[in-house]
Amino acid sequence: MKILIFILFLTAVMVFSAMAVSETEDNVKAENAFMQAALDEAYAGITAKHGGPFGSVIVKDGEIVGQGHNRVLINNDPTCHGEIDAIRRTCAALGTYDLSGCELYTTGEPCPMCLFACLWANIDRVYYGCTIEDNSIIGFRDEALDELTGGRDKLSDYLICMDREACLVLFNAYISMEHTSY
């Protein structure tokens, strides 16, 4: 009997968490359609408990050519951040390792690993929602790692913040959900 009650309790928690995410997702939209697609990807990832609230889409010639979200937990891979997942999937879909002519939209400012992966993939520009400082609010240590690389002062034309408010709603939904911290 106790096990049945416990299972019912867990089911209720999962349903209410999914409802909270869905409700938040429906109420706040990004102004940019590509950032909204990145948000949708992030919501799908956190609802499935794949990892943190980071979704990304890659755009070429005004069309989404790839997307991904944080899959650190589901893949047991600390490098499978949203940007890395999107880069891997886009390269596979396009049959190339060179993403020149592409732009990346992501819900959080890329960590140093993802930033350098974007540069290495020849992505033309990165648009992000939440800042490195915002990432620390939800428990990620990007800011400390960023200091090791000397900061981002020289990348102001490459890294562009947009739709921060909509992405902060995503971060708040993630905080309110039961999730694994890593």
Side-chain angles (χ1 to χ4, degrees):
M1 184 66 159
K2 289 181 181 180
I3 293 174
L4 179 61
I5 291 172
F6 181 70
I7 290 171
L8 290 172
F9 171 75
L10 285 179
T11 303
V13 167
M14 290 173 63
V15 167
F16 286 121
S17 291
M19 287 172 51
V21 169
S22 177
E23 183 178 304
T24 302
E25 186 177 355
D26 291 339
N27 291 335
V28 177
K29 300 288 184 190
E31 291 180 24
N32 180 281
F34 299 130
M35 185 61 78
Q36 184 59 51
L39 279 162
D40 293 343
E41 185 71 24
Y43 278 112
I46 64 172
T47 301
K49 302 202 180 302
H50 288 174
F54 303 101
S56 300
V57 298
I58 297 180
V59 175
K60 185 170 188 165
D61 300 326
E63 299 289 328
I64 295 174
V65 293
Q67 59 195 43
H69 60 260
N70 185 297
R71 296 176 192 272
V72 167
L73 299 176
I74 192 73
N75 290 354
N76 291 315
D77 179 357
T79 68
C80 199
H81 294 190
E83 299 91 336
I84 301 291
D85 189 42
I87 289 169
R88 289 173 180 163
R89 290 170 184 270
T90 303
C91 288
L94 298 179
T96 184
Y97 55 86
D98 184 356
L99 298 180
S100 295
C102 293
E103 298 174 326
L104 184 136
Y105 292 77
T106 186
T107 55
E109 188 172 359
C111 72
M113 176 185 68
C114 292
L115 173 59
F116 284 103
C118 291
L119 291 165
W120 197 256
N122 296 316
I123 291 173
D124 291 352
R125 184 162 287 132
V126 174
Y127 297 94
Y128 64 89
C130 291
T131 65
I132 286 288
E133 293 81 14
D134 296 329
N135 294 350
S136 69
I137 293 168
I138 59 170
F140 291 88
R141 58 187 191 274
D142 300 1
E143 194 170 11
L145 295 174
D146 203 40
E147 291 174 14
L148 296 173
T149 63
R152 298 163 185 244
D153 297 339
K154 297 177 184 173
L155 297 170
S156 61
D157 291 339
Y158 185 73
L159 293 169
I160 299 167
C161 187
M162 66 165 32
D163 284 316
R164 182 171 176 250
E165 293 304 316
C167 292
L168 283 171
V169 171
L170 164 71
F171 277 28
N172 286 330
Y174 175 73
I175 290 169
S176 71
M177 296 176 72
E178 182 180 326
H179 64 274
T180 301
S181 297
Y182 56 95

